[in-house]
């Protein structure tokens, strides 16, 4: 991250790198993208918990790069225009990645499954605004923003022919958010 100052322009420029190592299950019988009938499901349905120790695991490395830029143009001592841009990632919880919930009322089976292949949801955000200082006591600002959110997770449900539902978090939700924020910040004074 660095701050650059030019005549009539102040810029904060940065780059963030996030890295995460995850455990990922390897399917001995084929690709590991079959979440509902993976190699571990029959073992668990048969009630053989000890077979979990025999499954193969490997490290799955994920990394993200997030550029961040903030530009401010002072118009006077009390007023400025500003622009902000950035990428933001939200890493999935350990629960969403690895949690398994079992159900025994209608047979020993997995009801909820973790998904170690989840991608972190990404938000790309743009802001443009104006701020004005009044008597060094109140700052009024108006900011317009746009957020493009991709790869959010949701709970998918599978209903196989035998009718025993299985749930799994997967990526696939996206949103666009637009808005205008107007605020007044007052400094603490004796009044």
């Amino acid at each position: 991250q660095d701050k650059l100052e030019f005549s009539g322009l102040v810029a904060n420029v940065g780059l963030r790198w996030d890295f995460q190592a995850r455990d990922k299950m390897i399917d001995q019988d084929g690709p590991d993208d079959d979440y509902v009938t993976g190699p571990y499901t029959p073992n668990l349905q048969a009630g053989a918990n000890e077979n979990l120790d025999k499954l193969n695991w490997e490290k799955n490395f994920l990394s993200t790069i997030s550029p961040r830029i903030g530009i401010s143009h002072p118009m006077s001592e009390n007023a400025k225009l500003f622009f902000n841009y950035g990428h933001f990632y939200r890493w999935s919880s350990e629960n969403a990645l690895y949690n398994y919930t079992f159900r025994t009322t209608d047979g020993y089976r997995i009801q909820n499954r973790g998904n170690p292949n989840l991608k972190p949801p990404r938000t790309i955000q743009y802001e443009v605004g104006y701020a004005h200082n009044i008597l060094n006591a109140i700052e009024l600002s108006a900011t317009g923003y746009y957020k493009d959110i991709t790869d959010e997770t949701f709970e998918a449900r599978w209903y196989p022919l035998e009718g025993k539902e299985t749930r799994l978090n997967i990526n696939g939700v996206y949103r666009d958010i637009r808005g205008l924020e107007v605020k007044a910040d007052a400094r603490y004074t004796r009044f």
Side-chain angles (χ1 to χ4, degrees):
Q1 179 174 314
D2 197 11
K3 183 176 183 178
L4 308 170
E5 294 188 31
F6 306 99
S7 60
L9 186 71
V10 177
N12 287 306
V13 180
L15 195 62
R16 179 183 171 111
W17 177 60
D18 290 303
F19 175 81
Q20 187 179 57
R22 296 181 181 171
D23 289 321
K24 179 178 170 186
M25 194 175 300
I26 302 171
D27 188 339
Q28 293 94 354
D29 303 325
D32 60 345
D33 56 357
D34 190 358
Y35 296 109
V36 179
T37 59
Y40 41 89
T41 305
N43 295 336
L44 295 170
Q45 286 176 337
N49 270 338
E50 65 276 2
N51 286 336
L52 277 174
D53 297 332
K54 298 176 184 173
L55 297 172
N56 292 330
W57 293 82
E58 71 177 12
K59 285 292 182 195
N60 183 21
F61 299 101
L62 293 172
S63 68
T64 60
I65 295 187
S66 309
R68 314 268 172 99
I69 299 169
I71 298 172
S72 177
H73 172 61
M75 299 169 59
S76 70
E77 285 185 11
N78 296 314
K80 69 177 178 181
L81 289 172
F82 58 89
F83 170 79
N84 296 313
Y85 167 82
H87 288 216
F88 305 90
Y89 290 89
R90 187 178 67 247
W91 293 93
S92 300
S93 69
E94 296 296 319
N95 241 6
L97 296 173
Y98 301 114
N99 187 39
Y100 284 82
T101 305
F102 302 97
R103 185 172 185 167
T104 56
T105 55
D106 56 350
Y108 192 80
R109 67 179 183 88
I110 297 175
Q111 184 174 13
N112 297 310
R113 302 175 62 158
N115 181 357
N117 298 320
L118 285 176
K119 295 185 283 187
R122 179 182 71 178
T123 300
I124 300 175
Q125 182 171 322
Y126 304 86
E127 288 183 344
V128 63
Y130 173 79
H132 196 93
N133 182 5
I134 301 173
L135 302 173
N136 275 342
I138 299 174
E139 181 181 79
L140 297 175
S141 64
T143 307
Y145 61 87
Y146 171 74
K147 297 180 183 182
D148 177 22
I149 303 172
T150 56
D151 285 328
E152 281 195 306
T153 59
F154 69 99
E155 184 181 80
R157 297 179 182 207
W158 280 268
Y159 296 92
L161 293 176
E162 64 270 13
K164 296 180 180 178
E165 170 193 359
T166 302
R167 301 175 196 160
L168 173 74
N169 284 324
I170 62 174
N171 296 103
V173 177
Y174 66 91
R175 296 186 287 155
D176 286 336
I177 301 172
R178 296 171 183 87
L180 177 66
E181 180 180 82
V182 178
K183 66 180 182 176
D185 289 325
R187 293 185 181 191
Y188 179 78
T189 66
R190 63 189 183 110
F191 300 109

